[in-house]
Amino acid sequence: MLKSTIDKATDFEKRFENINTVMFEDSQVASKAVAKEIADLIKVKQSQKQPCILGLATGSSPKGLYAELVRLHKEKGLSFKNVVTFNLDEYYPMEPDAVNSYVRFMKKMLFDQVDILPENCYIPDGTLPKDKIASYCSDYEKKIEALGGIDLQILGIGGNGHIGFNESGSLQNSKTRLVALDHITRVAASKDFAGLSNTPRTAITLGVKKIMEAKRVILLAWGESKAAIIKTSAEGQVTNQVPASFLQEHNNVTFVLDKEAASKLTRVNAPWLVEKVTWTDRLIRKAVLGLAMHLEKPILMLTDADYIENGMSDLLAEFGQAYDINIKIFNKLQHTITGWPGGKPNADDSNRPERAEPGKKRVLIFSPHPDDDIISMGGTFKRLHEQGHEVHVAYQTSGNIAVADEEALRFANFVIDYNDKFDIKSEATEKIYKKVVKSLTDKKPSEIDIPEARYIKGLIRKGEARATSHFVGLNDDHIHFMELPFYETGTIDKHPLGEEDIQMTVDIIERIKPHQIYAAGDLADPHGTHKVCLDAVFESVRRLKDKPFMKDCWVWLYRGAWQEWGIDEIEMAVPMSPDQVLEKRHGIFKHQSQKDGVVFQGSDAREFWQRAEDRNKETAGIYDQLGLAHYAAMEAFVRWHF
């Protein structure tokens, strides 16, 4: 399946890319295609009575691949008895049974679920004395060479373009070795280690040379957060600053991407530069706005020459001079701006993003974490309430893993002091307090909190969310804490979305019967929680779409916590004054546990209130740059049609 898709790639697709790239609708379909190629290779080797040598990766990217290989073993009888595996890397130091060890990861995801022989599974040893590492790494490579080299190497890609743990600056002939991890890599990994201070600084990695010697290489990348580095790696120059770019010089490599990871490739982002296109309204808007941004010109200042010199002469040939096209796009963009996110009653709504009627709408805001509502759409949230709409907010998860241990201890101490002050005697309280203190004090990095500690952390976030909603003006009966079960694992890795999660989401939508639903479309969230929460909303809406009340329901998607919508995607932009920006900041400040050092910061060092303000100001700045009205800030939304 994968091979045939690549074979169908046309010449124009390679005009900008120097690597074969195959784009799939989603990572699940892509993972199945890669698993089929691996399964076919294993079977060919079995028929030849030869071992199949696989180079394997860890991290989130290959999880779906391993799940599909396990399924093929259990349901289709695929045997791994002739398979020998070499993993790319391991943190150092790292015990094999540690929560974040790659030995543990591989056993859980693949090895313990198939019939591979344990002696055929090689993973770098994170327990070695430092003076033994060099000789160990040399022996690791010799084992690969003795088996004839790697038949197929699976790779992921880091945000800085690292492959394995070959960071920026790695040389093309680098060997298997101990490396210092880049700060960007450590920040990305810190979510698994409960903070940057607990994240390893070094790792053992297979060298670039051995990766390049593999007979076949498949690099997996999912999500918008990988889009920029995929473009750089596939279309940019070969440079040791982006080790993945070395793969341009491999003669049998494929980048397997979902549509989000492929979104910045030229053939996807600007297809008119690659082939003749059908100019839809959406594509015209994307091209014209992209041209204006590239040239740093207002839309109405673009000329015929600008279009022609930037590969858009076909657009002029089909639709006339730049002047007319510019006005059309300018007007469309202007019509996205509204100070009435719930619609303006008794007004002409033909050029507004929302309906005028009903004048008073029931609004349901879904917030994946307890602070996403105020961070991503706080100005709109407050305006909807102030303009008389019946606003409900549903906090989908407890957010308990994002609270520092010190915060939990502080609140536990408060309860004890409170009880002592008011002479409230409770042996149970004392017992729980001592249990929690002991567990948090003795806990090793990355160990899971006990249920009592998680509950205290959840209460902290619940109180902060309630305070924010009160700040906006909501009553308690309009504040809903869902605590979806998929989230409650105590770790970054969550359960898959389940029927109970979906049914809880269906129930709240049916109960409120909203005219508007707001949900987080911010899929760059490194926790993955936003994606699961959005899937729950989408599936619930699909199940309810034939209900009479759903015919009057519109679904709007917001972003802001981790990224923002592109200017060509925005369908509603809600402007904010300087005072409203400050109000939103004060609302975010209600989440004190998320200030001054967030447990799961991601790669963005700014606090969430700073991220939100900067992104909102940047959005307003883009509108200003394109020649529209100048505002202090803007929150942006895209409508999802079901």
Side-chain angles (χ1 to χ4, degrees):
M1 181 176 177
L2 183 64
K3 285 279 191 182
S4 62
T5 306
I6 294 169
D7 291 342
K8 290 177 183 175
T10 54
D11 289 339
F12 74 76
E13 289 179 339
K14 300 174 185 175
R15 200 174 290 173
F16 287 86
E17 298 150 36
N18 301 312
I19 291 175
N20 281 331
T21 59
V22 182
M23 180 176 67
F24 290 85
E25 182 65 21
D26 57 48
S27 61
Q28 186 176 7
V29 176
S31 295
K32 287 183 176 180
V34 177
K36 184 179 186 304
E37 178 169 342
I38 292 174
D40 290 345
L41 177 63
I42 292 172
K43 291 172 187 174
V44 167
K45 291 286 186 175
Q46 286 169 350
S47 69
Q48 297 171 345
K49 301 190 183 311
Q50 293 180 355
C52 179
I53 316 303
L54 299 180
L56 300 182
T58 50
S60 59
S61 297
K63 283 183 177 179
L65 167 62
Y66 297 150
E68 177 62 11
L69 288 172
V70 169
R71 187 192 71 81
L72 291 174
H73 168 70
K74 291 181 176 179
E75 297 181 12
K76 303 296 182 181
L78 176 66
S79 175
F80 288 77
K81 286 187 177 177
N82 71 317
V83 174
V84 181
T85 65
F86 289 88
N87 264 73
L88 280 167
D89 41 34
E90 175 62 286
Y91 291 112
Y92 182 85
M94 182 63 65
E95 294 293 329
D97 60 349
V99 173
N100 292 306
S101 86
Y102 289 159
V103 173
R104 184 168 178 162
F105 177 95
M106 291 305 305
K107 284 184 175 182
K108 177 183 175 183
M109 293 294 162
L110 183 64
F111 297 158
D112 286 352
Q113 300 191 66
V114 298
D115 61 346
I116 192 168
L117 301 175
E119 61 268 28
N120 285 347
C121 302
Y122 296 95
I123 301 175
D125 187 349
T127 68
L128 295 165
K130 271 198 175 178
D131 60 355
K132 303 289 186 185
I133 292 177
S135 61
Y136 172 84
C137 290
S138 177
D139 289 342
Y140 200 78
E141 291 195 351
K142 287 176 181 175
K143 286 185 176 110
I144 295 173
E145 291 164 6
L147 289 164
I150 293 170
D151 292 312
L152 192 157
Q153 175 69 59
I154 297 296
L155 297 175
I157 184 170
N160 61 355
H162 73 238
I163 47 177
F165 277 132
N166 294 286
E167 302 282 16
S168 298
S170 295
L171 300 178
Q172 202 160 353
N173 64 349
S174 61
K175 295 190 174 183
T176 302
R177 66 208 184 281
L178 181 69
V179 296
L181 297 178
D182 188 284
H183 177 72
I184 295 173
T185 301
R186 293 184 66 239
V187 167
S190 65
K191 68 183 189 300
D192 297 321
F193 290 89
L196 188 61
S197 61
N198 302 316
T199 305
R201 295 180 177 275
T202 56
I204 297 173
T205 185
L206 193 71
V208 175
K209 189 171 187 292
K210 271 289 168 279
I211 292 172
M212 294 295 288
E213 287 174 359
K215 300 177 183 71
R216 169 97 167 111
V217 177
I218 298 176
L219 184 146
L220 311 176
W222 322 132
E224 291 180 55
S225 62
K226 297 294 176 71
I229 195 62
I230 285 296
K231 176 179 169 63
T232 300
S233 301
E235 296 185 6
Q237 293 182 336
V238 176
T239 168
N240 67 353
Q241 294 306 300
V242 183
S245 68
F246 291 145
L247 295 170
Q248 293 183 26
E249 298 181 355
H250 195 286
N251 63 8
N252 189 12
V253 61
T254 302
F255 281 12
V256 176
L257 317 170
D258 64 6
K259 61 183 180 181
E260 288 79 19
S263 61
K264 291 191 185 302
L265 293 174
T266 302
R267 66 180 167 96
V268 178
N269 193 45
W272 54 88
L273 298 177
V274 175
E275 63 172 336
K276 186 170 179 60
V277 298
T278 301
W279 287 103
T280 62
D281 286 346
R282 183 175 289 275
L283 203 56
I284 293 171
R285 177 175 168 175
K286 183 179 180 68
V288 174
L289 293 178
L291 178 62
M293 293 288 292
H294 173 66
L295 297 177
E296 298 183 352
K297 279 187 172 186
I299 298 167
L300 297 177
M301 293 291 289
L302 295 173
T303 66
D304 283 7
D306 292 331
Y307 279 67
I308 293 167
E309 290 167 8
N310 288 277
M312 292 164 55
S313 59
D314 285 358
L315 187 54
L316 296 179
E318 192 166 341
F319 292 96
Q321 59 184 339
Y323 177 83
D324 296 324
I325 300 171
N326 294 345
I327 289 176
K328 180 180 177 182
I329 299 304
F330 179 89
N331 288 337
K332 280 184 178 294
L333 192 61
Q334 189 172 50
H335 295 157
T336 64
I337 303 172
T338 181
W340 298 83
K344 188 172 184 179
N346 305 313
D348 177 13
D349 61 7
S350 56
N351 287 322
R352 294 179 182 275
E354 250 295 355
R355 306 147 291 170
E357 302 300 331
K360 181 179 179 180
K361 292 181 173 67
R362 288 184 299 277
V363 178
L364 175 56
I365 299 171
F366 282 107
S367 182
H369 300 99
D371 55 359
D372 287 313
D373 54 339
I374 192 70
I375 289 171
S376 300
M377 56 170 292
T380 304
F381 185 2
K382 203 164 194 307
R383 189 168 294 181
L384 286 164
H385 173 72
E386 290 170 347
Q387 291 175 348
H389 301 288
E390 180 189 321
V391 182
H392 295 255
V393 61
Y395 297 104
Q396 293 168 280
T397 71
S398 67
N400 54 22
I401 65 168
V403 177
D405 292 346
E406 309 88 76
E407 283 288 301
L409 289 170
R410 184 165 70 89
F411 273 77
N413 282 324
F414 171 83
V415 172
I416 294 299
D417 291 345
Y418 180 92
N419 287 354
D420 286 346
K421 177 66 178 176
F422 296 104
D423 198 27
I424 301 171
K425 301 298 182 185
S426 171
E427 289 185 12
T429 301
E430 287 283 350
K431 185 177 179 181
I432 291 170
Y433 171 71
K434 289 177 181 177
K435 184 178 180 181
V436 169
V437 169
K438 185 177 188 317
S439 73
L440 293 179
T441 303
D442 296 346
K443 187 177 70 171
K444 295 177 182 177
S446 301
E447 272 190 343
I448 298 172
D449 284 328
I450 62 173
E452 292 87 346
R454 296 209 302 270
Y455 188 72
I456 290 172
K457 291 181 176 183
L459 283 177
I460 292 169
R461 300 217 66 185
K462 182 181 286 189
E464 292 170 345
R466 187 181 288 112
T468 297
S469 292
H470 288 167
F471 173 78
V472 170
L474 268 57
N475 298 322
D476 282 344
D477 59 352
H478 285 189
I479 307 169
H480 311 275
F481 295 98
M482 300 178 69
E483 298 185 1
L484 294 177
F486 85 86
Y487 183 87
E488 299 302 322
T489 63
T491 69
I492 288 290
D493 286 334
K494 306 303 180 193
H495 295 305
L497 181 66
E499 183 59 31
E500 188 178 357
D501 303 302
I502 296 168
Q503 193 55 53
M504 290 170 70
T505 310
V506 166
D507 290 345
I508 196 168
I509 295 173
E510 273 201 291
R511 189 160 70 249
I512 293 168
K513 295 181 171 54
H515 300 97
Q516 281 188 324
I517 290 174
Y518 289 87
D522 205 346
L523 303 185
D525 163 33
H527 313 150
T529 301
H530 283 215
K531 176 66 165 65
V532 182
C533 287
L534 186 62
D535 286 344
V537 173
F538 282 174
E539 178 58 26
S540 299
V541 169
R542 289 187 189 102
R543 293 186 185 188
L544 291 168
K545 67 180 181 179
D546 293 328
K547 297 276 186 178
F549 74 88
M550 288 300 290
K551 304 210 181 319
D552 294 322
C553 180
W554 287 16
V555 178
W556 291 99
L557 304 180
Y558 62 80
R559 287 183 174 178
W562 301 98
Q563 60 185 20
E564 190 51 276
W565 295 110
I567 187 65
D568 60 292
E569 299 172 295
I570 296 171
E571 294 177 82
M572 180 164 70
V574 181
M576 291 186 286
S577 68
D579 287 344
Q580 288 168 328
V581 171
L582 198 57
E583 272 190 332
K584 176 175 176 175
R585 183 192 300 178
H586 290 154
I588 297 173
F589 282 179
K590 300 296 181 185
H591 293 270
Q592 285 295 308
S593 71
Q594 302 303 294
K595 279 189 78 337
D596 306 322
V598 183
V599 176
F600 302 115
Q601 186 75 38
S603 58
D604 193 330
R606 296 170 296 176
E607 290 191 35
F608 279 114
W609 70 269
Q610 294 171 311
R611 302 185 198 191
E613 283 190 19
D614 290 348
R615 289 191 176 105
N616 293 162
K617 288 176 182 177
E618 286 166 10
T619 300
I622 292 171
Y623 273 79
D624 179 37
Q625 178 187 327
L626 293 173
L628 289 98
H630 181 64
Y631 294 98
M634 281 180 163
E635 292 174 339
F637 303 86
V638 168
R639 187 178 166 199
W640 181 63
H641 297 268
F642 56 90

